[in-house]
Each structure stands twice: as structure tokens, then as C-alpha cells.
Amino acid sequence: MTALLRRSILAVALLAAACPGFAQIAATVDGVQMPAWVERNGVRQPIVPGMELRAGDQVISGADGRVLVRLAEGSLVKLGEKGQLRFTELSPTRELFKAALNVLEGAFRFTTELAAKNRRREVTVRAAQVTAGIRGTDFWGRSRQGNEIVCLIEGEIEVAADGEQPVSMNQPLQFYRRIDSKTQPVGTVDKKQLDQWSAETELQTGKGAVRRGGRFSVLLASAEEQNSALALYDELRNAGYPAEIWPVKQADKLAYVVRIRQLPSRAEANALAGKLRGKFGITEPKVSG
């Protein structure tokens, strides 16, 4: 078995459950602003749009990274840069969607789309010592050492710190905060501050983010030797970029093209090409689509 085939099998295994014929998918990656990874059973791989996430998976975003995940019941989970999010429980059924998310570090947002608000769910999000119970809602939060914030955008949530009585919030822009393990009185934030917080979890335009179903690619390098292509492939993937190798017949020879796919527009593909130009030995990336 060649090194390329072994790597391909590993990458396919992480995506296989997203294919038709498998059990109901609990969570799927919709978009990624690189670098970002998923850790599963001790193995770390770059996140790819379309990848299924399972209970026990931990999503990690690097500097300037963002991740957008769609849950089976229609909610969206967003993770900001330098974040860590563990999917402790994911249990989708027709009768009830159950999930437990643990935000170990960074900013996050949980949004339930209008069409999904009447579906039965039991979802909790934990940020450090604070747990929020969700009742069809939209809220933002951030987990930092000695500083946890939960801000209600719409709907209703119940927030509780370990060993304390739960606090209910049902008014937009209310926020709950703990500083150095001390719960602060519930306050109200202005919209300008909320907009600044919300921006921390959004995929940013012009950053070269990949999206599920994006039709543009960035061709990063081409090599005649498989090992040369594999060296760049491994370096990029270790750095949180979902590179793949595409064998291409050129005249009577086979070339190995290293590329990143699923860019949603030519502008985003050009942005990614510019971001990677001059790094990892990449000199002249090209956009295809």
C-alpha cells in the first residue's frame, strides 16, 4: 500500500459517515475559515466542509480560524478563533434531538433557525464552569480562564454555574458573566457591543474560507514525484488546511497536484491563494473553477 493510498484511506474514513446510506447524521461542518482541525480518537485532521461530527469529537480553531457546524435539528453552532469545542453528546432521533457541547476555550454562538424552533430538543452548552440550557433560541458566549460570558440574543435560556441556582434569561441582550469564579448580576449589553462579540464567530469575507458545495479550488503545487506532493500535503494538513492530492495525466506522465477545494467564489479562492503564497514553499498558486 502506497503512502498516498494510506493517507487517502484515513481522509475518506473521516468523511465516510457523511455519505448516503449511513445512520442519521447528527452534525455536519458547513464552513471553515482555516486553520482548523478535528480530533477524533486521538487523531487530529484538518476540518473539511461536509465532514460529519460525532460524539467525542473536538473541534479546534487556530489563529484567525472559524468553524460553522449545522446540527441535524436545524441549529447552527459557530466557533471563533483559538477555540476548542467538544461534542460530548450527539443523539439525533425523530422524536428528540439531544446534544451536549463543551466550549473549552474561545467564543461561540448557537442559533436555531426559524423552521427548527418547534422541533423537540434537549441541548446544553457548557463554557468552563457555566452551563446553558437551550429552549429554541439564539445566544452568544465566550469561555476564557477566569472570565465566562453568556449573552442572550433571542428566545430564552437557563444559565447555571456549578453549585449555584440557575438563572433564567428571557429578554434580548441580557448577559450573564462570571469573573474569577464569581457570578455577576445579570446585565444588559448594547447592540454595538453585541455586534462586536458576534463578529468573533462569523466566517469573514476575504479570508479564503471554504464552504460546503463550493465549486472553486486553489491549486497550490504540482510535482512529478509522489513523495514531493505528499510532503507538502502533510505539512498543510498538519497546519490545519484540508489539502488533497489530485493525480493528473500530463502528456504521457502523471503529475500530482496539491489543492484545496470548496471555495465558494473566485474572490475567496484568490484570497486563499494570496494567504498561502510564499508559505510552505508555495510560489504560484492558481485558482480553478
Side-chain angles (χ1 to χ4, degrees), residues 35-37 44 57-67 77-88 101-109 125-130 140-149 200-201:
W37 306 259
R44 178 180 285 201
D57 286 351
Q58 184 164 316
V59 171
I60 302 163
S61 57
D64 208 27
R66 308 279 197 280
V67 182
V77 180
K78 303 173 184 178
L79 181 68
E81 70 168 339
K82 298 180 181 178
Q84 296 184 46
L85 170 64
R86 179 181 292 277
F87 289 85
T88 307
L101 286 58
N102 190 357
V103 184
L104 304 172
E105 184 71 28
F108 67 93
R109 183 169 177 176
V125 179
R126 183 175 177 85
Q129 301 178 40
V130 176
W140 180 95
R142 186 168 60 205
S143 175
R144 288 180 180 168
Q145 186 173 2
N147 190 345
E148 299 97 46
I149 303 173
E200 295 182 23
T201 57

Short mmCIF file of all heavy atoms in Angstrom, two decimals, residues 35-37 44 57-67 77-88 101-109 125-130 140-149 200-201:
data_model
loop_
_atom_site.label_atom_id
_atom_site.label_comp_id
_atom_site.label_asym_id
_atom_site.label_seq_id
_atom_site.Cartn_x
_atom_site.Cartn_y
_atom_site.Cartn_z
N PRO A 35 -6.86 28.25 9.84
CA PRO A 35 -6.69 26.83 10.12
C PRO A 35 -7.68 26.32 11.16
O PRO A 35 -8.09 27.05 12.05
CB PRO A 35 -5.26 26.76 10.67
CG PRO A 35 -5.07 28.08 11.36
CD PRO A 35 -5.84 29.08 10.54
N ALA A 36 -8.04 25.05 11.00
CA ALA A 36 -8.93 24.40 11.97
C ALA A 36 -8.79 22.89 11.83
O ALA A 36 -8.50 22.38 10.74
CB ALA A 36 -10.38 24.83 11.73
N TRP A 37 -9.00 22.21 12.95
CA TRP A 37 -8.83 20.76 13.00
C TRP A 37 -9.98 20.11 13.75
O TRP A 37 -10.71 20.76 14.49
CB TRP A 37 -7.54 20.38 13.76
CG TRP A 37 -6.28 21.01 13.29
CD1 TRP A 37 -5.32 20.45 12.49
CD2 TRP A 37 -5.79 22.32 13.59
NE1 TRP A 37 -4.28 21.32 12.29
CE2 TRP A 37 -4.53 22.48 12.95
CE3 TRP A 37 -6.28 23.39 14.36
CZ2 TRP A 37 -3.78 23.64 13.05
CZ3 TRP A 37 -5.53 24.56 14.45
CH2 TRP A 37 -4.30 24.68 13.80
N ARG A 44 -5.65 13.86 14.89
CA ARG A 44 -6.01 15.21 14.51
C ARG A 44 -5.92 15.35 12.99
O ARG A 44 -4.91 14.99 12.39
CB ARG A 44 -5.08 16.24 15.18
CG ARG A 44 -5.38 17.66 14.78
CD ARG A 44 -4.46 18.68 15.43
NE ARG A 44 -4.79 18.88 16.84
CZ ARG A 44 -4.43 19.96 17.53
NH1 ARG A 44 -3.73 20.93 16.96
NH2 ARG A 44 -4.76 20.07 18.80
N ASP A 57 -15.98 14.06 19.39
CA ASP A 57 -15.11 14.88 18.55
C ASP A 57 -14.81 16.22 19.22
O ASP A 57 -15.68 16.80 19.89
CB ASP A 57 -15.75 15.15 17.19
CG ASP A 57 -15.74 13.94 16.28
OD1 ASP A 57 -15.08 12.93 16.64
OD2 ASP A 57 -16.39 13.99 15.22
N GLN A 58 -13.61 16.71 19.01
CA GLN A 58 -13.25 18.03 19.50
C GLN A 58 -12.79 18.89 18.32
O GLN A 58 -11.88 18.53 17.59
CB GLN A 58 -12.13 17.95 20.54
CG GLN A 58 -11.77 19.30 21.15
CD GLN A 58 -10.97 19.16 22.43
OE1 GLN A 58 -11.30 18.33 23.27
NE2 GLN A 58 -9.92 19.96 22.59
N VAL A 59 -13.47 20.03 18.14
CA VAL A 59 -13.15 20.97 17.07
C VAL A 59 -12.21 22.03 17.63
O VAL A 59 -12.44 22.58 18.71
CB VAL A 59 -14.44 21.60 16.52
CG1 VAL A 59 -14.13 22.73 15.55
CG2 VAL A 59 -15.29 20.53 15.84
N ILE A 60 -11.16 22.33 16.87
CA ILE A 60 -10.14 23.28 17.31
C ILE A 60 -9.92 24.29 16.19
O ILE A 60 -9.72 23.91 15.04
CB ILE A 60 -8.82 22.57 17.63
CG1 ILE A 60 -9.04 21.50 18.72
CG2 ILE A 60 -7.75 23.55 18.06
CD1 ILE A 60 -7.93 20.50 18.81
N SER A 61 -9.95 25.57 16.52
CA SER A 61 -9.67 26.62 15.53
C SER A 61 -8.37 27.32 15.90
O SER A 61 -8.09 27.56 17.07
CB SER A 61 -10.82 27.63 15.47
OG SER A 61 -11.05 28.19 16.76
N GLY A 62 -7.58 27.65 14.88
CA GLY A 62 -6.32 28.34 15.12
C GLY A 62 -6.50 29.85 15.09
O GLY A 62 -7.62 30.36 15.08
N ALA A 63 -5.38 30.54 15.07
CA ALA A 63 -5.42 31.99 14.99
C ALA A 63 -6.15 32.42 13.73
O ALA A 63 -5.83 31.96 12.63
CB ALA A 63 -3.99 32.55 14.98
N ASP A 64 -7.15 33.27 13.87
CA ASP A 64 -7.98 33.77 12.78
C ASP A 64 -8.88 32.68 12.19
O ASP A 64 -9.46 32.86 11.13
CB ASP A 64 -7.13 34.39 11.66
CG ASP A 64 -7.88 35.47 10.90
OD1 ASP A 64 -8.80 36.09 11.48
OD2 ASP A 64 -7.57 35.69 9.71
N GLY A 65 -8.99 31.54 12.86
CA GLY A 65 -9.83 30.46 12.38
C GLY A 65 -11.28 30.60 12.84
O GLY A 65 -11.57 31.25 13.85
N ARG A 66 -12.20 29.99 12.10
CA ARG A 66 -13.61 29.95 12.44
C ARG A 66 -14.16 28.62 11.94
O ARG A 66 -13.70 28.09 10.93
CB ARG A 66 -14.42 31.07 11.76
CG ARG A 66 -13.88 32.49 11.93
CD ARG A 66 -14.29 33.08 13.27
NE ARG A 66 -14.13 34.53 13.28
CZ ARG A 66 -12.98 35.17 13.48
NH1 ARG A 66 -11.86 34.47 13.64
NH2 ARG A 66 -12.93 36.49 13.49
N VAL A 67 -15.19 28.11 12.61
CA VAL A 67 -15.84 26.88 12.16
C VAL A 67 -17.35 27.06 12.28
O VAL A 67 -17.84 27.57 13.29
CB VAL A 67 -15.39 25.65 12.99
CG1 VAL A 67 -16.05 24.38 12.46
CG2 VAL A 67 -13.87 25.50 12.96
N VAL A 77 -24.03 26.06 14.99
CA VAL A 77 -23.04 26.29 16.05
C VAL A 77 -21.82 26.91 15.40
O VAL A 77 -21.28 26.38 14.43
CB VAL A 77 -22.66 24.98 16.76
CG1 VAL A 77 -21.63 25.25 17.85
CG2 VAL A 77 -23.88 24.30 17.35
N LYS A 78 -21.39 28.06 15.93
CA LYS A 78 -20.25 28.77 15.38
C LYS A 78 -19.16 28.87 16.44
O LYS A 78 -19.44 29.16 17.61
CB LYS A 78 -20.65 30.18 14.93
CG LYS A 78 -21.77 30.18 13.91
CD LYS A 78 -22.28 31.59 13.62
CE LYS A 78 -23.46 31.57 12.67
NZ LYS A 78 -23.99 32.93 12.41
N LEU A 79 -17.92 28.63 16.03
CA LEU A 79 -16.77 28.70 16.93
C LEU A 79 -15.80 29.73 16.39
O LEU A 79 -15.43 29.70 15.21
CB LEU A 79 -16.09 27.34 17.04
CG LEU A 79 -14.87 27.26 17.97
CD1 LEU A 79 -15.29 27.45 19.43
CD2 LEU A 79 -14.15 25.93 17.80
N GLY A 80 -15.37 30.66 17.26
CA GLY A 80 -14.42 31.69 16.86
C GLY A 80 -12.98 31.21 16.91
O GLY A 80 -12.68 30.04 17.13
N GLU A 81 -12.06 32.15 16.71
CA GLU A 81 -10.65 31.80 16.62
C GLU A 81 -10.09 31.32 17.96
O GLU A 81 -10.62 31.65 19.03
CB GLU A 81 -9.82 32.99 16.13
CG GLU A 81 -9.68 34.13 17.10
CD GLU A 81 -8.63 35.12 16.65
OE1 GLU A 81 -7.75 34.77 15.85
OE2 GLU A 81 -8.68 36.27 17.13
N LYS A 82 -9.05 30.51 17.86
CA LYS A 82 -8.36 29.95 19.04
C LYS A 82 -9.36 29.32 20.00
O LYS A 82 -9.28 29.49 21.22
CB LYS A 82 -7.54 31.04 19.74
CG LYS A 82 -6.44 31.64 18.88
CD LYS A 82 -5.66 32.70 19.63
CE LYS A 82 -4.58 33.32 18.75
NZ LYS A 82 -3.83 34.38 19.45
N GLY A 83 -10.32 28.60 19.40
CA GLY A 83 -11.37 27.98 20.20
C GLY A 83 -11.21 26.47 20.26
O GLY A 83 -10.54 25.84 19.42
N GLN A 84 -11.86 25.89 21.26
CA GLN A 84 -11.92 24.44 21.41
C GLN A 84 -13.34 24.07 21.82
O GLN A 84 -13.84 24.57 22.82
CB GLN A 84 -10.93 23.94 22.45
CG GLN A 84 -9.47 24.19 22.09
CD GLN A 84 -8.53 23.59 23.13
OE1 GLN A 84 -8.70 22.44 23.54
NE2 GLN A 84 -7.55 24.35 23.54
N LEU A 85 -13.96 23.22 21.03
CA LEU A 85 -15.35 22.82 21.27
C LEU A 85 -15.45 21.30 21.19
O LEU A 85 -15.13 20.71 20.16
CB LEU A 85 -16.26 23.46 20.22
CG LEU A 85 -17.71 22.96 20.15
CD1 LEU A 85 -18.45 23.27 21.45
CD2 LEU A 85 -18.43 23.59 18.97
N ARG A 86 -15.90 20.69 22.28
CA ARG A 86 -16.08 19.23 22.30
C ARG A 86 -17.56 18.90 22.22
O ARG A 86 -18.38 19.47 22.95
CB ARG A 86 -15.48 18.63 23.57
CG ARG A 86 -15.67 17.09 23.64
CD ARG A 86 -15.09 16.53 24.92
NE ARG A 86 -13.65 16.65 24.92
CZ ARG A 86 -12.80 15.80 24.34
NH1 ARG A 86 -13.30 14.76 23.67
NH2 ARG A 86 -11.51 15.98 24.40
N PHE A 87 -17.90 17.97 21.32
CA PHE A 87 -19.26 17.47 21.21
C PHE A 87 -19.38 16.27 22.15
O PHE A 87 -19.11 15.13 21.77
CB PHE A 87 -19.59 17.10 19.77
CG PHE A 87 -19.73 18.29 18.87
CD1 PHE A 87 -18.61 18.88 18.28
CD2 PHE A 87 -20.97 18.87 18.64
CE1 PHE A 87 -18.73 19.98 17.47
CE2 PHE A 87 -21.10 19.98 17.83
CZ PHE A 87 -19.98 20.55 17.24
N THR A 88 -19.77 16.54 23.39
CA THR A 88 -19.82 15.50 24.40
C THR A 88 -20.91 14.48 24.11
O THR A 88 -20.73 13.28 24.29
CB THR A 88 -20.06 16.13 25.78
OG1 THR A 88 -19.07 17.14 26.00
CG2 THR A 88 -19.96 15.09 26.88
N LEU A 101 -22.68 20.22 24.36
CA LEU A 101 -21.50 20.83 23.80
C LEU A 101 -20.68 21.44 24.93
O LEU A 101 -21.24 22.08 25.82
CB LEU A 101 -21.87 21.92 22.79
CG LEU A 101 -22.41 21.50 21.41
CD1 LEU A 101 -23.65 20.64 21.50
CD2 LEU A 101 -22.70 22.74 20.57
N ASN A 102 -19.38 21.27 24.85
CA ASN A 102 -18.50 21.79 25.88
C ASN A 102 -17.49 22.73 25.24
O ASN A 102 -16.60 22.29 24.50
CB ASN A 102 -17.79 20.64 26.60
CG ASN A 102 -17.03 21.10 27.84
OD1 ASN A 102 -16.99 22.29 28.15
ND2 ASN A 102 -16.43 20.18 28.55
N VAL A 103 -17.66 24.03 25.47
CA VAL A 103 -16.74 25.03 24.92
C VAL A 103 -15.58 25.17 25.90
O VAL A 103 -15.71 25.78 26.96
CB VAL A 103 -17.44 26.38 24.70
CG1 VAL A 103 -16.48 27.37 24.05
CG2 VAL A 103 -18.69 26.21 23.84
N LEU A 104 -14.46 24.61 25.54
CA LEU A 104 -13.30 24.63 26.42
C LEU A 104 -12.55 25.96 26.36
O LEU A 104 -11.91 26.37 27.33
CB LEU A 104 -12.35 23.48 26.06
CG LEU A 104 -12.98 22.08 26.06
CD1 LEU A 104 -12.01 21.07 25.50
CD2 LEU A 104 -13.40 21.70 27.46
N GLU A 105 -12.63 26.60 25.21
CA GLU A 105 -11.93 27.87 25.02
C GLU A 105 -12.54 28.60 23.84
O GLU A 105 -12.96 27.99 22.85
CB GLU A 105 -10.44 27.62 24.75
CG GLU A 105 -9.56 28.85 24.64
CD GLU A 105 -9.36 29.57 25.98
OE1 GLU A 105 -9.41 28.90 27.03
OE2 GLU A 105 -9.17 30.80 25.97
N GLY A 106 -12.61 29.94 23.93
CA GLY A 106 -12.99 30.75 22.79
C GLY A 106 -14.45 31.18 22.78
O GLY A 106 -15.24 30.85 23.67
N ALA A 107 -14.79 31.94 21.72
CA ALA A 107 -16.15 32.46 21.55
C ALA A 107 -16.98 31.49 20.72
O ALA A 107 -16.47 30.80 19.84
CB ALA A 107 -16.10 33.82 20.87
N PHE A 108 -18.30 31.44 21.00
CA PHE A 108 -19.19 30.56 20.27
C PHE A 108 -20.54 31.24 20.12
O PHE A 108 -20.87 32.20 20.83
CB PHE A 108 -19.36 29.23 21.00
CG PHE A 108 -20.08 29.35 22.32
CD1 PHE A 108 -21.46 29.18 22.41
CD2 PHE A 108 -19.39 29.67 23.47
CE1 PHE A 108 -22.12 29.32 23.62
CE2 PHE A 108 -20.04 29.80 24.70
CZ PHE A 108 -21.40 29.63 24.77
N ARG A 109 -21.34 30.72 19.18
CA ARG A 109 -22.71 31.18 19.03
C ARG A 109 -23.58 29.99 18.65
O ARG A 109 -23.19 29.15 17.83
CB ARG A 109 -22.83 32.27 17.96
CG ARG A 109 -24.25 32.84 17.83
CD ARG A 109 -24.27 34.07 16.96
NE ARG A 109 -25.64 34.57 16.77
CZ ARG A 109 -25.95 35.69 16.10
NH1 ARG A 109 -24.97 36.44 15.59
NH2 ARG A 109 -27.20 36.06 15.96
N VAL A 125 -25.11 23.75 26.49
CA VAL A 125 -23.78 24.22 26.12
C VAL A 125 -23.06 24.61 27.40
O VAL A 125 -23.57 25.42 28.19
CB VAL A 125 -23.86 25.43 25.17
CG1 VAL A 125 -22.44 25.92 24.83
CG2 VAL A 125 -24.60 25.06 23.89
N ARG A 126 -21.89 24.05 27.59
CA ARG A 126 -21.10 24.34 28.79
C ARG A 126 -19.88 25.16 28.39
O ARG A 126 -19.17 24.82 27.44
CB ARG A 126 -20.66 23.04 29.46
CG ARG A 126 -19.89 23.25 30.76
CD ARG A 126 -19.58 21.92 31.44
NE ARG A 126 -18.78 22.09 32.64
CZ ARG A 126 -19.28 22.38 33.83
NH1 ARG A 126 -20.60 22.50 33.98
NH2 ARG A 126 -18.50 22.52 34.88
N ALA A 127 -19.65 26.24 29.12
CA ALA A 127 -18.47 27.08 28.91
C ALA A 127 -17.75 27.19 30.25
O ALA A 127 -18.22 27.88 31.16
CB ALA A 127 -18.87 28.46 28.41
N ALA A 128 -16.64 26.46 30.38
CA ALA A 128 -15.91 26.39 31.64
C ALA A 128 -16.84 25.88 32.74
O ALA A 128 -17.32 24.77 32.69
CB ALA A 128 -15.28 27.72 31.98
N GLN A 129 -17.16 26.73 33.75
CA GLN A 129 -18.00 26.31 34.87
C GLN A 129 -19.48 26.66 34.69
O GLN A 129 -20.28 26.44 35.59
CB GLN A 129 -17.49 26.97 36.16
CG GLN A 129 -16.04 26.64 36.50
CD GLN A 129 -15.58 27.36 37.75
OE1 GLN A 129 -16.31 27.49 38.72
NE2 GLN A 129 -14.36 27.84 37.73
N VAL A 130 -19.83 27.20 33.53
CA VAL A 130 -21.20 27.69 33.29
C VAL A 130 -21.89 26.80 32.26
O VAL A 130 -21.32 26.50 31.21
CB VAL A 130 -21.17 29.15 32.81
CG1 VAL A 130 -22.57 29.62 32.47
CG2 VAL A 130 -20.53 30.04 33.86
N TRP A 140 -24.96 33.96 22.36
CA TRP A 140 -23.51 34.03 22.13
C TRP A 140 -22.82 33.85 23.48
O TRP A 140 -23.36 34.22 24.53
CB TRP A 140 -23.17 35.40 21.53
CG TRP A 140 -21.70 35.63 21.25
CD1 TRP A 140 -21.05 35.44 20.07
CD2 TRP A 140 -20.71 36.12 22.15
NE1 TRP A 140 -19.72 35.77 20.18
CE2 TRP A 140 -19.48 36.20 21.47
CE3 TRP A 140 -20.74 36.51 23.50
CZ2 TRP A 140 -18.30 36.64 22.05
CZ3 TRP A 140 -19.56 36.94 24.10
CH2 TRP A 140 -18.36 37.01 23.37
N GLY A 141 -21.63 33.30 23.45
CA GLY A 141 -20.88 33.16 24.69
C GLY A 141 -19.39 33.09 24.42
O GLY A 141 -18.93 32.96 23.28
N ARG A 142 -18.64 33.16 25.50
CA ARG A 142 -17.19 33.06 25.39
C ARG A 142 -16.64 32.43 26.66
O ARG A 142 -17.06 32.75 27.77
CB ARG A 142 -16.56 34.43 25.15
CG ARG A 142 -15.05 34.37 24.89
CD ARG A 142 -14.53 35.69 24.39
NE ARG A 142 -14.75 36.75 25.36
CZ ARG A 142 -14.84 38.04 25.04
NH1 ARG A 142 -14.78 38.42 23.78
NH2 ARG A 142 -15.03 38.94 25.98
N SER A 143 -15.68 31.53 26.46
CA SER A 143 -15.04 30.86 27.58
C SER A 143 -13.56 31.23 27.60
O SER A 143 -12.81 30.91 26.68
CB SER A 143 -15.19 29.34 27.44
OG SER A 143 -14.48 28.67 28.45
N ARG A 144 -13.18 31.93 28.64
CA ARG A 144 -11.77 32.24 28.89
C ARG A 144 -11.47 31.95 30.36
O ARG A 144 -12.37 31.97 31.19
CB ARG A 144 -11.47 33.72 28.59
CG ARG A 144 -11.48 34.07 27.12
CD ARG A 144 -11.16 35.53 26.93
NE ARG A 144 -11.16 35.91 25.51
CZ ARG A 144 -11.13 37.18 25.08
NH1 ARG A 144 -11.14 38.17 25.96
NH2 ARG A 144 -11.13 37.44 23.79
N GLN A 145 -10.22 31.70 30.64
CA GLN A 145 -9.87 31.41 32.01
C GLN A 145 -10.23 32.59 32.92
O GLN A 145 -9.77 33.70 32.72
CB GLN A 145 -8.37 31.11 32.13
CG GLN A 145 -7.95 30.64 33.52
CD GLN A 145 -6.51 30.19 33.55
OE1 GLN A 145 -5.79 30.26 32.56
NE2 GLN A 145 -6.06 29.71 34.69
N GLY A 146 -11.09 32.32 33.90
CA GLY A 146 -11.49 33.35 34.85
C GLY A 146 -12.47 34.36 34.31
O GLY A 146 -12.75 35.38 34.94
N ASN A 147 -13.07 34.08 33.13
CA ASN A 147 -14.00 35.05 32.54
C ASN A 147 -14.92 34.33 31.56
O ASN A 147 -14.54 34.04 30.43
CB ASN A 147 -13.23 36.17 31.82
CG ASN A 147 -14.12 37.32 31.40
OD1 ASN A 147 -15.34 37.19 31.39
ND2 ASN A 147 -13.52 38.43 31.06
N GLU A 148 -16.15 34.03 32.01
CA GLU A 148 -17.14 33.38 31.15
C GLU A 148 -18.32 34.32 30.94
O GLU A 148 -18.78 34.97 31.88
CB GLU A 148 -17.65 32.08 31.79
CG GLU A 148 -16.59 31.03 32.02
CD GLU A 148 -16.06 31.04 33.45
OE1 GLU A 148 -16.85 31.12 34.39
OE2 GLU A 148 -14.83 31.01 33.61
N ILE A 149 -18.79 34.38 29.68
CA ILE A 149 -19.91 35.25 29.33
C ILE A 149 -20.93 34.45 28.54
O ILE A 149 -20.57 33.65 27.67
CB ILE A 149 -19.45 36.45 28.46
CG1 ILE A 149 -18.37 37.27 29.16
CG2 ILE A 149 -20.64 37.35 28.10
CD1 ILE A 149 -17.78 38.35 28.28
N GLU A 200 -16.91 37.89 16.26
CA GLU A 200 -15.84 36.97 16.63
C GLU A 200 -16.11 35.54 16.17
O GLU A 200 -15.19 34.72 16.10
CB GLU A 200 -15.64 36.97 18.15
CG GLU A 200 -15.15 38.29 18.72
CD GLU A 200 -14.92 38.22 20.22
OE1 GLU A 200 -14.71 37.11 20.74
OE2 GLU A 200 -14.96 39.28 20.88
N THR A 201 -17.37 35.22 15.85
CA THR A 201 -17.71 33.85 15.48
C THR A 201 -18.15 33.70 14.02
O THR A 201 -18.46 32.59 13.58
CB THR A 201 -18.83 33.31 16.39
OG1 THR A 201 -19.97 34.17 16.30
CG2 THR A 201 -18.37 33.23 17.83
#
